[in-house]
Amino acid sequence: MTYSRAQWRKTFREARNNLSAKAQQQAATAVAQRLSVLPEIRDASRVATYLDNDGEVSLAALISLLQARDIATSLPVLHPFSGKHLLFLDYTPLSSMKKNRFGIPEPELRCQDIRLLEEHQVILMPLVGFDSKGNRLGMGGGFYDRTLAKLNERMMAPLLVGVAHDCQQADALPVMHWDIPLNAIVTPTQTIRISQP
Ligand SMILES: Nc1ncnc2c1ncn2[C@@H]1O[C@H](COP(=O)(O)OP(=O)(O)OP(=O)(O)O)[C@@H](O)[C@H]1O
Ligand SMILES: [Mg+2]
């Protein structure tokens, strides 16, 4: 049976929301360990991260580790007027946070905290589903796709890394022409690098 994108989203969101608190904790630790040894992260001056929502793998442990290593961290913030785009803002333990319209905390929007996409060497992204070719299925808003579409013609693009539980893997996801593929995927048990075509 071939699943539609909506069916995949339902299946994966249920699977990750059904993980126990212990499984979530173990996933966060394992993923932080794998990400912290990626050469691109070790050498990075700035990494874009996310705060978990809806059963996503938590990056809280990794964020603390990066900050302790003096690697700057950013978080996505919904663009205030450019429809369904993201901004990336500097995030430190001192950032004042505010919930967005999806109930996800984000740094308060201050112009001096906005960081350009190309200031990041790595962008870590949550996802709903992935496959071994680097195809990414998100929550369905197109936020990351729209925002990262601007990278296409630019040199020095950040490494795009999807972070997921193992139960979020599909054999082959249906792909749309606007989907921005991942360069790598990290789960608690796998570090997948997608070779360039
Ligand atoms: N570069 C783009 N320009 C305009 N619209 C876009 C672009 N990328 C995606 N969209 C629109 O966004 C909508 C949602 O896209 P899609 O289903 O791929 O979301 P997603 O990848 O699951 O979400 P997200 O990127 O937020 O994780 C689609 O209707 C698509 O037309
Ligand atoms: Mg997409």
Side-chain angles (χ1 to χ4, degrees):
M1 188 177 69
T2 325
Y3 266 29
S4 67
R5 281 159 74 95
Q7 286 168 321
W8 278 124
R9 283 195 179 96
K10 185 168 182 288
T11 303
F12 290 135
R13 289 183 64 192
E14 277 174 13
R16 71 184 186 187
N17 276 298
N18 281 335
L19 294 168
S20 66
K22 186 163 179 229
Q24 282 287 0
Q25 181 56 55
Q26 286 170 343
T29 306
V31 156
Q33 166 61 31
R34 283 180 176 277
L35 288 169
S36 68
V37 299
L38 276 190
E40 290 86 350
I41 290 191
R42 294 185 79 104
D43 294 341
S45 56
R46 176 171 293 276
V47 173
T49 63
Y50 63 83
L51 297 183
D52 61 283
N53 171 55
D54 193 55
E56 293 161 356
V57 180
S58 166
L59 289 184
L62 179 82
I63 292 172
S64 303
L65 195 141
L66 295 179
Q67 290 171 347
R69 281 191 199 164
D70 276 332
I71 298 173
T73 52
S74 303
L75 282 178
V77 171
L78 300 180
H79 198 290
F81 47 83
S82 179
K84 294 199 170 185
H85 280 77
L86 300 171
L87 292 170
F88 287 93
L89 266 74
D90 188 41
Y91 174 55
T92 75
L94 299 178
S95 299
S96 41
M97 306 295 285
K98 209 174 132 183
K99 280 195 176 172
N100 67 23
R101 65 173 186 272
F102 300 113
I104 305 170
E106 51 182 42
E108 209 174 325
L109 183 46
R110 301 192 314 167
C111 293
Q112 66 267 37
D113 293 337
I114 298 175
R115 297 292 176 269
L116 299 175
L117 278 178
E118 45 271 86
E119 286 182 73
H120 304 86
Q121 289 78 42
V122 180
I123 298 185
L124 302 177
M125 278 181 269
L127 55 82
V128 172
F130 70 95
D131 66 23
S132 63
K133 293 205 169 116
N135 296 312
R136 172 184 178 277
L137 186 69
M139 293 282 272
F143 288 89
Y144 277 99
D145 286 326
R146 274 191 199 80
T147 307
L148 298 176
K150 298 170 204 162
L151 278 175
N152 282 347
E153 320 89 65
R154 296 186 190 176
M155 310 244 297
M156 299 302 293
L159 188 78
L160 305 180
V161 182
V163 180
H165 297 284
D166 289 290
C167 62
Q168 293 174 247
Q169 181 162 9
D171 285 343
L173 282 176
V175 188
M176 305 306 274
H177 66 85
W178 59 76
D179 285 325
I180 304 285
L182 299 164
N183 304 123
I185 299 136
V186 172
T187 75
T189 67
Q190 306 179 80
T191 302
I192 303 171
R193 286 204 176 249
I194 317 300
S195 43
Q196 302 302 329

